[in-house]
Amino acid sequence: MLFEKIDTTGLAHYSYIIGDQNEAVVIDPRRDIDVYLNKASKQGYQIKYIFETHRNEDYVIGSFDLAKLTGAQIWHADYNLNYQYGQAVRDQQKFSVGRLKIKAINTPGHTLNSFSYILYDFSEEPLMVFTGDALFAGDTGRVDLMGEDLMDELAHKLYDSIYNKILPLSDSVIMCPAHGSGSVCGHAIAERELTTLGLEKKVNPNLQYENEEEFVENVKEVLERPPYFREMERLNLTGSSFIRGLPETEALKPGHFDKKLQSGDTLVLDIRNELDFAAAHIPNSISIWQEGLASFAGWFIPYDKDLLLMTAGNYPEEAINILRRLGYDRIKGYLKGGMLKWHMSGKKSNYIKTIRVQKLCTLIDQSRDYWLLDIRGEEEIAESGKIKNAHNIHITQLPDNLDKIPTEQPVYIFCGSGLRSTTAASLLLREGFENIHVILGGLAGWSSTTCPIV
Amino acid sequence: MLFEKIDTTGLAHYSYIIGDQNEAVVIDPRRDIDVYLNKASKQGYQIKYIFETHRNEDYVIGSFDLAKLTGAQIWHADYNLNYQYGQAVRDQQKFSVGRLKIKAINTPGHTLNSFSYILYDFSEEPLMVFTGDALFAGDTGRVDLMGEDLMDELAHKLYDSIYNKILPLSDSVIMCPAHGSGSVCGHAIAERELTTLGLEKKVNPNLQYENEEEFVENVKEVLERPPYFREMERLNLTGSSFIRGLPETEALKPGHFDKKLQSGDTLVLDIRNELDFAAAHIPNSISIWQEGLASFAGWFIPYDKDLLLMTAGNYPEEAINILRRLGYDRIKGYLKGGMLKWHMSGKKSNYIKTIRVQKLCTLIDQSRDYWLLDIRGEEEIAESGKIKNAHNIHITQLPDNLDKIPTEQPVYIFCGSGLRSTTAASLLLREGFENIHVILGGLAGWSSTTCPIV
Amino acid sequence: MLFEKIDTTGLAHYSYIIGDQNEAVVIDPRRDIDVYLNKASKQGYQIKYIFETHRNEDYVIGSFDLAKLTGAQIWHADYNLNYQYGQAVRDQQKFSVGRLKIKAINTPGHTLNSFSYILYDFSEEPLMVFTGDALFAGDTGRVDLMGEDLMDELAHKLYDSIYNKILPLSDSVIMCPAHGSGSVCGHAIAERELTTLGLEKKVNPNLQYENEEEFVENVKEVLERPPYFREMERLNLTGSSFIRGLPETEALKPGHFDKKLQSGDTLVLDIRNELDFAAAHIPNSISIWQEGLASFAGWFIPYDKDLLLMTAGNYPEEAINILRRLGYDRIKGYLKGGMLKWHMSGKKSNYIKTIRVQKLCTLIDQSRDYWLLDIRGEEEIAESGKIKNAHNIHITQLPDNLDKIPTEQPVYIFCGSGLRSTTAASLLLREGFENIHVILGGLAGWSSTTCPIV
Amino acid sequence: MLFEKIDTTGLAHYSYIIGDQNEAVVIDPRRDIDVYLNKASKQGYQIKYIFETHRNEDYVIGSFDLAKLTGAQIWHADYNLNYQYGQAVRDQQKFSVGRLKIKAINTPGHTLNSFSYILYDFSEEPLMVFTGDALFAGDTGRVDLMGEDLMDELAHKLYDSIYNKILPLSDSVIMCPAHGSGSVCGHAIAERELTTLGLEKKVNPNLQYENEEEFVENVKEVLERPPYFREMERLNLTGSSFIRGLPETEALKPGHFDKKLQSGDTLVLDIRNELDFAAAHIPNSISIWQEGLASFAGWFIPYDKDLLLMTAGNYPEEAINILRRLGYDRIKGYLKGGMLKWHMSGKKSNYIKTIRVQKLCTLIDQSRDYWLLDIRGEEEIAESGKIKNAHNIHITQLPDNLDKIPTEQPVYIFCGSGLRSTTAASLLLREGFENIHVILGGLAGWSSTTCPIV
């Protein structure tokens, strides 16, 4: 028996490959599908089915490409939607893979027709359940993505799906959700590599409510919806470009890079860390550090521009993967040799002022000439505390709230660590703000010193 | 959180690496330890503890080498034994790895002081239990290895360990044993990649008995004990040679190979498949196909000889790993280019007669001049049936029962597939038997035709 | 500076990637182009040009796919041909790659408009010359492939190309040909990993002739022309299918394999070694051992059938690569688990009789009831000698000479080693011959014993 | 035939593995020997000989470790030295490897008894010559390392070795030196991946002199001698620690890192790039960017301290390799998560001021309050020009010339790019200097603008 969880960090996305004898199935494949082909072909499995738990909204699904190369059948969930390829699974539909049995069950709530898949052991007991975005470790799926109108209905459906379909399978069933800690598809998914329905019943905060009404009230939460979700929804219905046919990203010298940049409709996306970007970057770049790409590119990077990547100088293999998973297919080049070569070619760069927490602590004690911008989300603030007098604008709301930020005072931006602050600073610089400072270490650093937390 | 099961096929051995923040622990490492170092160092974990569940008898443990390179503490189980390195864990001892907690619990039964290790989630609920050889998927650990005298006592202890210490942890706890399907450390371990205590309670045959007495009676089974176990027990107490310092296995041309072979105290171990060996092999070779090495080398290959490997011609990387895991450190060379080069150099080879099931079926229908040797174990026979008139001598008992095998009649050997038959045939040829035939496809092939099964 | 020779064994094909700063060129890419993309992108080179030395006839060129993914310009040689993509290079055309210069020179002879490419060092001296199939280590290119009519003209052109264009570059120039030892594109290419024009002048047998006439007479040799050359010529003019979009080869169980096999237009290609095939194979399979695929598939495997591969049981990754390089795109599946599983499913197999040289030696000494078939080429025979009374039919001519082989006598086939004999035996078995024997070790084995050589 | 050049970047060191049939030799192996073992064992070669061209002074040779694992014979050059392992080769000594022949020839000059090795083709013509540090592409070996007293004698010997022993082999011989462009073992080795004796005769500047006297005068140059050379010379005579037994480098959290740092005899070596280090670093760190480690660690990093590495946060695999090649065996740990985690734990960091060339250009035009420190070498200055009023102290001489640097003026440091300036700045900061600026882009950036060059 083959069982592997493929953990796509960044998206915090889990896909699964399960096989027996010479057959395999993949659940919710990501777009860069070589990982499945390698695990299947090289070990003697033929991918027979591709199961989707729902029409995904946070990444481009790889079903289409994977089916093209393997001949596997695609089984979509959400049969109410108008897919342009594949077919939709029905409630209680059964499948076999080698000697194993799989049953699809309709578990709506996150979407109108999400499905879960139960895997039965050779003993015919349920061994695992693949819950998609219905139930996570320590969390439940969002019910706000179909619109606020449907939220109440979906929350009730979700309750029904979890309490009447999933949990009754048995405490001892291993639960395999579509996302882990850090995903935007949940609110606060727990950091638990493996879990069981029994454990979730005990510790999952959303499974501790008194009754359905209390559950519904609590899960009916409107979370942020990154603008790129629309594009994912579209691509996952219609099919995306064949990923293996996308052109290579070019290694560019400073001159070529600059020329492409001047040619309009081009954006520099700087994937280096906060210190690098602060020290020097190409004017007008947007800073999103590599590990932050999966979470923030979809907020700030448009689909209708050519992208040039700024790296430490090397080929941005992983960043290209991440961006392609989000449907960015116009990644034209990167600067070979990075800022070092840029400076060596005499080209201009910009920088961002940084401040250490110790100094900031002194500064706000002694002066009034500062404006503290806290770009963290509400919950982070609630959880970790805040600095006195800080103004809160969540980073994702920054573009719509520029008028609240002063231009005549020095602005000090903090987040949890300094990474998002750098992204925010890069956005403000593009808008013409000048006196912008990033607080290194962010609230974590601040809290580790003797500076006061509110 | 890092959690990985390292599945060493052949041994059907599972070791585990668990980590959080920058710390990691390894449970029951195998001897070729690079897998742990790669997963730890490259991902930013420092191996802090090495936990053993018991003094292993079926492979050379890697604790010593791993500690040497990482500075990790070795925690042996079986504190009654006189280890020459490391220290012994005590019941209820607690450890932390990053934010995770681990508790050792004394779960004797397989050995006098086997331990299990409970891993607690951040929620402080037990998430996983590492049961070593106490409890497997679909099976329980052997209680016969300490000698028949202690069997009854150990079976009672095992009952206590399982029923009073392990199972009460909760149905929803994920169970992580030290072996999977195919291991000689269990009787009939199930083919289940992951399991839970709850599922085992339902489907594990050894957990279905009425009461302690019934359990004890049933698990008090004397299974085979491969002779190499003694060597493993010795090495795991005293420490083995540093694996990274073992000399490379030489690529030999036919002339050199032959010369080494003539120099005495040297044995050819032929790791090719049944057809290759049957078609041509160096006289006096022992045939054990590569996937069978972990199970059969310890029965038939002595430690006091230099080994030369016969392969399809290529470097036997995986076979060397397998043999080293069993403590074979004298693997001197292999024949570059294999039998093709051997024949091209005009050297002599031997062959084994094969027969197809269809022909055998006709033959035994029409003649009495045959002697069928069934080398399968009793349970296999009970499960899959047998051929009329077959004489059963389990392959591992063959060396002690040569006198039962006729020399004046053609002998037809069958096992499940033809692989073990080839091993058996190679052993008989070395003993001077001549009229030996391997049945291709074995009982599986026989059963798939219209030939009769008893 | 980047310089790598990519050695595609089997085809004995050399392609090259050369780079400087952020630019690279590839010369004569093979069809599976990932090797170039990895060396280029990952190291910061953008492939700018693809140079072909001639319209290749022995493999599918990767220019089209590589250009699609990189945007590189394709420069064909043989401007007289009607290419459906790319453009044709002209004599003396100059290119730059980073700080390096490259000059194309028209060096006809192997084809009507073959080109060589001179690479100049930063010092502006010629450093290397890429001679394609004009000049090899120890050999010159074939002049017979355009037809016998043109042979004389081409031989004169080749003389001119070598003596007036290539050799005058300087003794110290490193020579980079398109093929190495073992290629069908030469007659007897030397086993020399690197060479120089000066060394070739001294030791290349074809450069030792007195004058042009003697050269021409000697190189005007009609060698064998495998039938697949026509298909390669066609594909290299029109462009082949995108290799990255070809479907995966399926892992099949015996039942599925058999079913596909029965469905007509399907052929089993058995890529195992001579002993495996002799011991057992699926009836009507064609045997070509893996290392022989590049040389013999194009002779015996048609393009209009689905192929099923028989391996030792594993995924035939390398064989698929080799076959795709030859344009075989219909590789539908392989038998997972190999003949072992086939036999275990009770299915029928065939075998080939083998004989060892020692026994053959005795046999032909004592009997007349044998027919020796020597399938080696004329030169091999001339070089290594032969066995008395052997009948010579070169393996490639076997299909056209079946009537010369007796059916009433045992036929003993030998080649150099036993590999080609097995291929030949498989072809004869398909034609209904029955009493066929493969001589293990072939003439090499025979010569290494005391058996007589003529 | 196997021929591979192993290019160890950083050291710009070339080692070679050559093989035929089942035998191989390695020339001048580096200390991390897995590369040779992989190329040999996995491809069926047994390493028979290890040849050294001289007692190397710039890296730890891997002969000892490689011999331990393969049983290969070690052949040292410099038979006048007192090696504690292996044996010394003699002039004209012959060896065979498979069908190839190798001859050692005494080619003193770089050391008293350096050797070159001639590889003969199957044709018995010399095919390649491995010249060690006698003759490079575009350069000749240093003659100053044995002390100035011997320089004249060695220069004459080198002339003799090159003109009477190496060059006469033939213009067409491929030359394989021990170093490429960037090595400290030459003065100005050319960037040429492959070369021949003939090409060197034409373009190597040191082979263009009129006569022996002129040659001698010109090559008698005293170059810098990094202090670590002494340690390499010692280790290469006595043997170094077994590299595979060296302990792993620990992943440390900020608290642990800081604690180790406080424990004395510990140094932080920061291998990040110039911008990272400038933006924030742990006080008292030495900055050497990763690609600069091979060149500068030996100047500034002592052997008697524990090293802690600062990286971008990841495991410094390549840096550890580089440092071990230089004999640094006390690499105790690295900061997991890098400066981000450091700042998040509220710990203090330092920064270095940077300046862009455009601004500097304006500044020195308008003010006198600056002190320009040019840390480039004399030749670089001669070649690329300098900035008016700059004070030159070569970076390697900085520790001995601290008194020349003012403390009351802002100091602006430039090198070619900004990398070495950052190293220099880190050294000055450790010495208590405060007003230190790194010029981003260095002279290259300066030259690419309209700022004046002298």
Side-chain angles (χ1 to χ4, degrees), chain B residues 21-22 41 69 248 251 336, chain D residues 21-22 41 69 248 251 336:
Chain B
Q21 293 180 335
N22 73 322
S41 304
L69 296 176
E248 295 277 296
K336 184 180 178 184
Chain D
Q21 294 179 335
N22 72 323
S41 303
L69 296 176
E248 295 277 296
K336 183 180 177 184

Side-chain angles (χ1 to χ4, degrees), chain B residues 37-90:
Chain B
L37 295 173
N38 288 340
K39 286 183 194 299
S41 304
K42 305 298 156 53
Q43 298 182 42
Y45 295 95
Q46 180 64 18
I47 299 176
K48 188 177 177 184
Y49 303 122
I50 298 161
F51 294 124
E52 298 183 1
T53 57
H54 61 292
R55 191 268 318 266
N56 281 276
E57 56 285 295
D58 60 324
Y59 65 94
V60 179
I61 202 154
S63 307
F64 190 76
D65 288 11
L66 191 55
K68 174 182 163 90
L69 296 176
T70 62
Q73 286 179 5
I74 298 170
W75 290 97
H76 296 296
D78 288 302
Y79 49 70
N80 52 305
L81 299 176
N82 183 25
Y83 284 98
Q84 292 178 27
Y85 63 101
Q87 57 198 314
V89 76
R90 295 287 158 167

Side-chain angles (χ1 to χ4, degrees), chain B residues 20-23 37 40-46 68-70 98 242-253 256 315 317 334 336, chain D residues 20-23 37 40-46 68-70 98 242-253 256 315 317 334 336:
Chain B
D20 186 53
Q21 293 180 335
N22 73 322
E23 296 180 345
L37 295 173
S41 304
K42 305 298 156 53
Q43 298 182 42
Y45 295 95
Q46 180 64 18
K68 174 182 163 90
L69 296 176
T70 62
F242 185 42
I243 192 171
R244 290 186 167 193
L246 294 177
E248 295 277 296
T249 299
E250 291 190 30
L252 299 168
K253 290 199 290 187
H256 294 140
Y315 179 70
E317 184 167 16
Y334 74 99
K336 184 180 178 184
Chain D
D20 187 52
Q21 294 179 335
N22 72 323
E23 296 180 345
L37 294 174
S41 303
K42 304 298 155 53
Q43 298 181 42
Y45 295 95
Q46 180 66 18
K68 173 183 165 89
L69 296 176
T70 62
F242 185 42
I243 192 171
R244 288 185 168 195
L246 294 177
E248 295 277 296
T249 298
E250 292 190 30
L252 300 168
K253 290 199 291 187
H256 294 139
Y315 179 70
E317 186 167 15
Y334 74 98
K336 183 180 177 184

Side-chain angles (χ1 to χ4, degrees), chain D residues 31-50:
Chain D
R31 191 185 186 195
D32 42 325
I33 54 176
D34 285 347
V35 63
Y36 313 108
L37 294 174
N38 288 339
K39 286 183 193 298
S41 303
K42 304 298 155 53
Q43 298 181 42
Y45 295 95
Q46 180 66 18
I47 299 175
K48 189 178 178 185
Y49 302 122
I50 299 160

Side-chain angles (χ1 to χ4, degrees), chain B residues 12 26 33 40 57 71 105 116 124 135 164 185 194 198 213 219 258 265 277 279 283 287 297 322 366 401 409 420:
Chain B
V26 177
I33 54 176
E57 56 285 295
I105 54 171
S116 294
E124 313 221 336
L135 183 55
N164 299 324
C185 291
L194 282 173
E213 285 320 305
V219 306
D258 205 10
D265 268 6
F277 190 85
S287 160
I322 296 169
Q366 298 172 346
N401 290 278
Q409 270 184 306
R420 280 173 295 171

